[in-house]
Amino acid sequence: EFDLRLTRDGQLVVLHDDTLERTTDVEAIYPDRGRAETPGAPRHWPLADFTLAELARLDAGTWFDSRFAGTRLPTFRDTIDALKGRSGLFIELKSPERYPGIERLILEELARHGLDRPGADPATPVLLQSFTASSLEIFTKELRTPLPVHFLLGARDAAAWLTPEGLTRLKGMATGFSPEKTILGDPQHA
């Protein structure tokens, strides 16, 4: 499972966080580009503020281990090229509301690799998933993807979704849902 986000110039990259400072050397390379949400708050370097060319200057490996020094943030295309035929692509859209149009870009990239329909490459199944219902509705209702689409159900939102009305809405926008593990053992959600 990997998370996709968009750069300032509309390129799909794999990154879990909204910001770059935890997993890259962005503070050293672009010290003046950080911003604080309020005066006196810690500064952050949002991914969406940077182009793909700017990201190519960042080291995204040293934070994990010095053996990975010089590792760059992978693009979605890099990730597909590395995994196609070797692994499934379990794609999570993180904060898609921050990246209008990301759903269409994902499907276009999958189509370029011949992965835009179920079973296209049995060695590379594709699953699209998000905690954001509106993004899944774009995939299923607007873009009409035939790919499996899963709603990631967090514990804090479970009460609203695990009702007859919520489950009916889920059925109309997703082929499945993946509940947070705490929901499964919680009698309140049973």
Side-chain angles (χ1 to χ4, degrees), residues 48-119:
D49 288 355
F50 293 85
T51 66
L52 187 60
E54 290 169 332
L55 294 175
R57 294 186 56 204
L58 302 179
D59 175 345
T62 301
W63 72 276
F64 188 72
D65 190 287
S66 60
R67 294 177 297 154
F68 302 108
T71 299
R72 303 296 175 226
L73 286 175
T75 65
F76 185 34
R77 181 172 294 161
D78 295 335
T79 303
I80 294 172
D81 289 342
L83 297 177
K84 188 175 180 185
R86 300 176 60 211
S87 173
L89 304 178
F90 286 52
I91 301 163
E92 182 177 344
L93 279 76
K94 289 285 195 171
S95 310
E97 64 281 359
R98 294 181 184 185
Y99 311 108
I102 190 171
E103 297 86 359
R104 183 176 304 281
L105 292 172
I106 289 169
L107 293 179
E108 288 170 356
E109 190 63 38
L110 288 168
R112 276 192 280 283
H113 286 83
L115 297 171
D116 55 338
R117 63 191 183 290

Side-chain angles (χ1 to χ4, degrees), residues 5 31 36 45 61 67-68 72 94 106 139-140 149 155 157 159 162 164-165 174:
R5 298 179 184 279
W45 283 256
R67 294 177 297 154
F68 302 108
R72 303 296 175 226
K94 289 285 195 171
I106 289 169
F139 276 127
T140 58
V149 175
D157 299 322
L162 297 178
E165 297 80 18

